[in-house]
Amino acid sequence: ILICLGAAMTTLTSQFLYLNLHYYTDMARLGAQVVAGMGFIGAGTIIVTRGQRVKGLTTAAGLWTSAIVGLALGGGFYEGGILATILILLAELLFSKLEYRVLDSTPEVNLYVEYSRRDSLENVLSLYKAWGLKVLNMEITRPTGSATHNACAIFTLRMNKKCRVDDLLGAMDLMSGVISVKEL
């Protein structure tokens, strides 16, 4: 929504400068440098975490859109800039509350499990199934053959409402063959 709003503001600002202020410019080129530059800066705020989750999209879109609103205000299109600011703030407030509500109802957790035997991993998966947890992603690292390295796995789990992370970690610590378990 933020990106669409920003694109609309760029176009409306170009039209405002051309039609109302009679600046004879190419309407398509006005925001081209701002859009490209802020897209480049915004891309730097987007990261992929170790759990393969993307973070920073809202920040990038907010930077980009604020640049477009600045372009509108700088060009004298005050009505559009103020209206866009109000719409952006409403969208941010509404969607952030909706996001927290959705995440609270279906939380996800990343667990790092270090284990010594292959059947330990099967027991961990059986525990997840018994507790009604859904495995969204699983990455397994095999031991290198030396005695100091154990196998490990990183799980992304969708928790259910009945299960608490602390209870799950306690149950996994008690399993034979599991050396350590941590929440990432």
Side-chain angles (χ1 to χ4, degrees):
I1 289 178
L2 294 177
I3 293 175
C4 292
L5 209 86
M9 285 305 302
T10 303
T11 304
L12 291 173
T13 301
S14 297
Q15 290 175 357
F16 180 81
L17 291 174
Y18 183 77
L19 298 173
N20 293 356
L21 300 179
H22 305 295
Y23 291 145
Y24 295 104
T25 63
D26 182 5
M27 288 190 280
R29 290 187 56 196
L30 174 68
Q33 299 306 314
V34 174
V35 170
M38 289 310 295
F40 181 76
I41 291 171
T45 66
I46 301 171
I47 61 169
V48 179
T49 64
R50 289 180 68 170
Q52 300 299 314
R53 301 195 69 167
V54 177
K55 303 241 180 217
L57 289 176
T58 304
T59 303
L63 285 170
W64 191 84
T65 306
S66 65
I68 301 304
V69 169
L71 206 138
L73 294 173
F77 187 29
Y78 302 115
E79 301 89 358
I82 291 169
L83 178 64
T85 301
I86 292 169
L87 290 174
I88 290 166
L89 290 174
L90 287 174
E92 286 287 336
L93 290 171
L94 176 74
F95 288 124
S96 66
K97 288 183 180 182
L98 180 66
E99 176 186 19
Y100 289 124
R101 185 168 293 170
V102 168
L103 289 177
D104 282 343
S105 65
T106 57
E108 292 180 7
V109 65
N110 293 315
L111 297 181
Y112 172 82
V113 180
E114 192 172 337
Y115 58 96
S116 59
R117 299 186 320 262
R118 172 177 251 148
D119 64 334
S120 302
L121 185 61
E122 294 170 7
N123 293 337
V124 167
L125 291 171
S126 297
L127 177 74
Y128 294 159
K129 187 175 182 179
W131 284 35
L133 307 177
K134 183 176 182 182
V135 178
L136 300 175
N137 189 21
M138 179 173 61
E139 296 177 31
I140 299 173
T141 304
R142 304 279 181 210
T144 59
S146 69
T148 58
H149 291 88
N150 294 309
C152 64
I154 298 174
F155 295 97
T156 302
L157 303 173
R158 176 160 296 136
M159 305 292 283
N160 57 35
K161 293 181 182 181
K162 299 179 281 185
C163 181
R164 290 186 30 230
V165 175
D166 294 334
D167 296 337
L168 179 62
L169 293 177
M172 291 178 68
D173 268 336
L174 298 175
M175 296 178 75
S176 66
V178 173
I179 297 167
S180 70
V181 58
K182 298 177 196 169
E183 182 181 3
L184 299 178

